[in-house]
């Protein structure tokens, strides 16, 4: 069984951007908590419309987004979640983690609505598909990703791969969950950033999405992240920056939560 070097893990965690670190740690913590006594604990954390809006168990609105598989598939889920969030925080949301967190909050609300026909109780896969779509849409043209070290594909094709994997894992229902998450990512990109045609044609000098100004985090959240307000071209991109600047995505590769999750679950 692999040995976890706690000192190295702590250093890696400190270097990880705050949103990527938070969502990965929350997923690991809640999944391990639920796995220790699956029936009573998992049932307290999943999303149920009636329990949330009739019995006011509002914590379920948050916890259901961070419940992963109790099988080795958790390694893949955490690695994908980390890589997508880290790609966004290292690229278009560099020094704008508060904006990413603020916009992700509304994206999660959108996911709850988009997946309502499927009556899903856990939305981690939809969130991964959403973030992966946004990472691929804001990446520079020609960006690629290495999938688990086995093959490389264009980053723009990553959402379609996630839909295919959802089909393999859960049939049409699983594919539908991934499609719903990708559609929310599509709306996020177009409303906060800009239209796909405008991005490829005009680049970062073109006006951002119509809701870009509303995507800027409020002062209290900015203070919590310790980030000061700066002029942006929308979606957390600093003026003079480029969409997808610095994006790197190596699915299943190294990084804090990629290797550490494997060690913890090994």
């Amino acid at each position: 069984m692999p040995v976890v070097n706690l000192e190295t893990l702590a250093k890696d965690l400190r270097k990880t951007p705050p949103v990527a670190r938070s969502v990965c740690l929350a997923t690991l913590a809640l999944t391990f908590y639920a796995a220790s006594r699956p029936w009573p604990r998992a049932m307290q954390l999943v999303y149920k419309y009636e329990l949330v809006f009739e019995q006011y168990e509002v914590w379920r609105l948050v916890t259901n987004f961070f419940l992963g598989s109790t099988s080795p598939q958790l390694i893949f889920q955490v690695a994908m979640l980390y890589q997508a969030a880290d790609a966004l925080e290292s690229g278009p949301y560099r020094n704008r983690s508060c904006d990413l967190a603020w916009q992700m909050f509304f994206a999660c609300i959108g996911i709850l609505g988009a997946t309502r026909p499927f009556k899903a109780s856990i939305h981690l896969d939809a969130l991964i598909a959403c973030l992966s779509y946004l990472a691929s849409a804001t990446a520079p043209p020609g960006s690629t990703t290495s999938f688990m070290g086995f093959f490389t594909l264009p980053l723009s094709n990553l959402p379609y791969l996630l839909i295919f994997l959802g089909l393999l894992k859960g049939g049409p229902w699983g594919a539908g969950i991934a499609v719903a998450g990708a559609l929310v990512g599509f709306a996020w990109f177009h409303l906060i950033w800009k239209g796909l045609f405008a991005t490829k044609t005009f680049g970062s000098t073109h006006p951002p999405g119509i809701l870009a100004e509303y995507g800027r985090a409020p002062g209290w959240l900015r203070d919590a992240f310790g980030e000061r307000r700066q002029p942006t071209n929308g979606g957390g991109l600093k003026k003079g920056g480029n969409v997808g600047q610095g994006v790197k995505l190596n699915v299943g590769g190294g990084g804090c939560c990629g290797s550490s999750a494997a060690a913890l679950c090994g």
Side-chain angles (χ1 to χ4, degrees):
M1 179 176 179
V3 177
V4 179
N5 188 319
L6 295 180
E7 183 177 355
T8 301
L9 178 59
K11 290 181 180 178
D12 287 343
L13 287 174
R14 283 195 294 268
K15 290 189 254 185
T16 304
V19 173
R21 179 173 64 243
S22 298
V23 295
C24 286
L25 289 177
T27 300
L28 289 171
L30 286 177
T31 302
F32 290 157
Y33 170 80
S36 62
R37 294 181 63 190
W39 177 254
R41 292 184 174 178
M43 292 302 103
Q44 294 170 358
L45 303 176
V46 298
Y47 173 77
K48 294 293 183 183
Y49 181 87
E50 295 77 11
L51 294 178
V52 171
F53 295 101
E54 294 179 7
Q55 299 187 27
Y56 307 108
E57 298 181 5
V58 293
W59 65 85
R60 295 174 182 269
L61 291 171
V62 177
T63 56
N64 82 93
F65 282 97
F66 305 109
L67 279 177
S69 172
T70 55
S71 70
Q73 182 192 348
L74 176 66
I75 300 172
F76 170 78
Q77 289 177 312
V78 174
M80 284 294 303
L81 183 62
Y82 167 76
Q83 296 292 353
D86 181 64
L88 291 168
E89 285 187 274
S90 300
Y93 290 91
R94 179 178 296 156
N95 298 323
R96 288 294 178 274
S97 296
C98 58
D99 290 339
L100 176 60
W102 179 247
Q103 293 167 26
M104 190 185 301
F105 169 77
F106 292 100
C108 288
I109 295 176
I111 289 173
L112 290 174
T115 57
R116 183 73 193 280
F118 301 98
K119 299 187 183 301
S121 57
I122 298 175
H123 296 89
L124 177 60
D125 288 338
L127 178 61
I128 292 172
C130 175
L131 294 176
S132 296
Y133 182 93
L134 186 64
S136 67
T138 56
S143 297
T144 61
T145 178
S146 174
F147 184 75
M148 304 297 287
F150 294 113
F151 60 89
T152 300
L153 74 159
L155 189 54
S156 58
N157 292 341
L158 181 59
Y160 303 104
L161 176 62
L162 293 177
I163 293 170
F164 176 70
L165 293 176
L167 180 64
L168 293 180
K169 182 179 73 171
W173 185 89
I177 295 296
V179 168
L183 287 176
V184 173
F186 175 87
W188 185 351
F189 173 69
H190 283 266
L191 293 175
I192 296 296
W193 289 92
K194 58 199 74 177
L196 184 60
F197 174 79
T199 300
K200 291 185 175 179
T201 306
F202 301 103
S204 62
T205 60
H206 194 270
I210 59 174
L211 297 182
E213 186 61 30
Y214 298 98
R216 305 173 86 172
W220 61 267
L221 184 59
R222 192 172 299 277
D223 292 340
F225 277 83
E227 296 174 346
R228 62 189 181 91
R229 185 180 179 91
Q230 294 182 8
T232 67
N233 271 341
L237 179 66
K238 292 189 296 183
K239 283 189 174 180
N242 296 311
V243 172
Q245 179 179 351
V247 168
K248 297 179 181 178
L249 194 61
N250 180 21
V251 178
C256 165
C257 292
S259 57
S260 299
L264 288 169
C265 298

